[in-house]
Structure formats: structure tokens, C-alpha cells
Amino acid sequence: MLELLLTLFFIWLLFKGIGLAFRVAWGTAKIAASILFTLAIPLLIVCLVFAGGVLLLLPLALVGIAFGLLKACC
């Protein structure tokens, strides 16, 4: 009878340990995701502004070159 109770206790303890492992893993994953988002979102914004700035500067540079050529020719 004692063996049966100990076996049931250890099986119950095994399931509790597995549940605790899932909780710890989930908490660690949430912390890691929070840190990554905290670092990645400002970097993404900076990259988008830089890429958008380059895309805006290209037409302005072409217009400036066109005005420079017209001024030099006339």
C-alpha cells in the first residue's frame, strides 16, 4: 500500500514539475520577447526614417542636378 501511495505521489510530483517547467519557460520567453521588442522597435524606426530620408533625397538631388545643368547651359 505504501508503494502505491509513493508511486502516486511521485507521479503527481512529476506532473507538478512539468507544469512548473512550462511556467518558467513561458515567463523567460515573455521577458526575452520584451527585451527584443524594446531594442528592435527603436532600431526599426531609425532604419525606416533613414531609408525614407534616402528615398526623399534622391528626387531632390535629381532636381538640383537638373537646375544646375540648366543654369550652366544658359
Side-chain angles (χ1 to χ4, degrees):
M1 184 68 173
L2 185 60
E3 279 185 39
L4 182 62
L5 286 174
L6 283 175
T7 304
L8 289 174
F9 174 72
F10 279 114
I11 289 173
W12 174 78
L13 194 59
L14 173 72
F15 283 118
K16 286 293 185 179
I18 290 172
L20 179 63
F22 277 122
R23 282 190 191 183
V24 169
W26 180 251
T28 305
K30 285 196 316 189
I31 290 170
S34 298
I35 291 171
L36 286 175
F37 277 130
T38 303
L39 295 175
I41 291 191
L43 187 64
L44 176 68
I45 291 171
V46 168
C47 288
L48 287 175
V49 167
F50 179 72
V54 169
L55 290 176
L56 287 175
L57 286 177
L58 185 63
L60 289 175
L62 291 175
V63 169
I65 290 171
F67 277 130
L69 286 174
L70 285 174
K71 202 154 204 164
C73 290
C74 295

